[in-house]
């Protein structure tokens, strides 16, 4: 049975950017298409109007996510990214605004209730302020946490560490104390090696790997006097074949070297009979 659904399997971006650009007007700063999705950069103070227009007139019903991005070198270092989904058209758009450390972004909790939690995440991790949010508190870090951990300039070790004190019977916050200095790792290719001498390598002598190691004799193993003495001892008295040959069995033939020399032949090879007979046979 064929199941019909109003949403197509694949929604094309053809004409979407032009239609949205015409609808937003001066509220739109720039638009482009990347990785198969349309990205819209809009004015920060008009973000609520932009998202309301996309929801009501262009059928982007759901706010899927709000994310933050940090670019410390920019005058307004943060970007707040809104990801919208149209269920009826099976299409997505991304809307972005820029913000500074002390520049608040208007809240969109008036449009989607779930924006309250999403804005709290961006505030907690990046420090972006959202004006109009009724409950802008930390949501992932602790109440006494200092700083915002997703900023690029936030130290890897943090500013303070917490532990439970048996003396005070509570959680206490203390300055970070590392057992050893934080190592600065080099992420160069391990098989190509670094183009400088690593600390400590200047003390090591490079062994002559290419020169073959030889010894004066087979009993000189190079492993010390004990190993040389053990190598000098014979492994066995003789090979198994030599032991068997030394044992004489009754009726065994004499060794070839113990037999007497053969008598000279009477004729040469051209005379077959004389060549096979000795002088003793003729007598």
């Amino acid at each position: 049975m064929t199941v019909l659904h109003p949403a197509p399997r694949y929604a094309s971006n053809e004409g979407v950017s032009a239609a949205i650009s015409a609808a937003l007007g001066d509220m739109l700063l720039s638009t482009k298409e990347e990785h198969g999705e349309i990205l819209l950069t809009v004015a920060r103070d008009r973000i609520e109007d932009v998202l309301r227009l996309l929801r009501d007139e262009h059928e982007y019903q759901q706010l899927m996510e709000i994310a933050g991005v940090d670019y410390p070198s920019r005058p307004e270092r943060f970007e707040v990214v809104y990801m919208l989904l149209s269920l009826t058209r099976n299409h997505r758009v991304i809307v972005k605004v820029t913000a500074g450390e002390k520049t608040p972004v208007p809240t969109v909790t008036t449009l989607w209730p779930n924006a309250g939690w999403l804005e709290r995440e961006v505030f907690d991790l990046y420090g972006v302020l959202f004006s109009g949010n009724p409950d802008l508190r930390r949501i992932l870090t602790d109440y006494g946490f200092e700083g915002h951990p997703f900023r690029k300039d936030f130290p890897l070790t943090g500013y303070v560490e917490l532990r439970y004190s048996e003396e005070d019977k509570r959680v206490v916050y203390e300055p970070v104390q590392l057992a050893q200095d934080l190592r600065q790792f080099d992420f160069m290719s391990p098989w190509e090696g670094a183009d400088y001498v690593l600390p400590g390598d200047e003390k090591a002598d490079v062994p002559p790997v290419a020169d073959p190691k030889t010894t004066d004799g087979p009993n000189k193993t190079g492993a010390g006097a004990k190993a040389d003495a053990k190598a000098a001892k014979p492994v066995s008295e003789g090979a198994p074949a030599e032991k068997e040959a030394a044992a004489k069995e009754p009726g065994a033939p004499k060794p070839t070297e113990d037999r007497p020399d053969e008598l000279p032949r009477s004729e040469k090879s051209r005379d077959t009979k004389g060549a096979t007979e000795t002088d003793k046979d003729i007598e």
Side-chain angles (χ1 to χ4, degrees), residues 103-281:
T103 307
V105 178
T107 183
V108 293
T109 53
T110 55
L111 304 177
W112 292 283
N114 67 321
W117 283 58
L118 300 177
E119 290 175 353
R120 285 178 61 182
E121 288 184 359
V122 177
F123 162 72
D124 190 3
L125 300 178
Y126 293 94
V128 178
L129 300 175
F130 291 89
S131 60
N133 188 303
D135 188 18
L136 195 62
R137 295 177 297 155
R138 291 186 180 271
I139 190 172
L140 296 177
T141 58
D142 191 44
Y143 291 107
F145 193 89
E146 296 183 8
H148 304 279
F150 274 18
R151 290 188 178 185
K152 297 295 180 61
D153 53 3
F154 188 83
L156 298 179
T157 58
Y159 295 105
V160 296
E161 58 184 0
L162 60 90
R163 65 177 178 85
Y164 181 79
S165 175
E166 289 290 347
E167 299 178 357
D168 300 336
K169 302 299 181 181
R170 64 181 179 86
V171 175
V172 296
Y173 293 86
E174 298 174 339
V176 176
Q177 295 180 359
L178 298 178
Q180 61 181 3
D181 293 340
L182 179 64
R183 298 181 182 274
Q184 300 295 337
F185 293 98
D186 193 342
F187 297 98
M188 298 184 67
S189 176
W191 49 85
E192 294 178 358
D195 54 0
Y196 55 88
V197 179
L198 296 176
D201 287 356
E202 71 279 358
K203 304 176 183 178
D205 296 331
V206 180
V209 180
D211 299 338
K213 184 177 180 180
T214 59
T215 55
D216 298 335
N219 60 339
K220 300 296 183 180
T221 62
K226 292 184 178 180
D228 293 345
K230 188 174 181 180
K233 295 180 180 180
V235 179
S236 61
E237 297 179 357
E242 296 178 358
K243 293 181 179 181
E244 295 178 0
K248 296 182 179 180
E249 297 182 0
K254 295 180 179 181
T256 305
E257 56 272 11
D258 295 338
R259 295 180 181 178
D261 298 336
E262 295 183 355
L263 298 175
R265 303 296 177 177
S266 59
E267 298 291 343
K268 301 298 182 180
S269 58
R270 63 178 179 268
D271 189 354
T272 305
K273 184 177 181 181
T276 57
E277 296 178 354
T278 61
D279 297 336
K280 185 178 180 182
D281 296 334

Side-chain angles (χ1 to χ4, degrees), residues 19-84:
I20 293 179
S21 299
L24 296 181
D26 59 352
M27 295 185 293
L28 180 65
L29 301 181
S30 64
T31 178
K32 60 181 177 179
E33 183 176 344
E34 287 185 355
H35 307 292
E37 294 186 344
I38 297 177
L39 278 71
L40 308 171
T41 302
V42 302
R44 178 179 57 256
D45 56 347
R46 303 296 301 277
I47 182 62
E48 184 179 1
D49 298 333
V50 169
L51 296 184
R52 179 181 287 107
L53 186 146
L54 293 176
R55 184 193 65 177
D56 298 342
E57 298 184 13
H58 294 268
E59 301 178 358
Y60 290 96
Q61 299 93 346
Q62 288 193 356
L63 174 65
M64 304 302 297
E65 181 63 91
I66 300 178
V69 188
D70 184 19
Y71 298 96
S73 59
R74 296 182 180 180
E76 292 187 340
R77 61 182 297 181
F78 302 115
E79 281 187 354
V80 183
V81 185
Y82 302 83
M83 306 175 191
L84 307 181

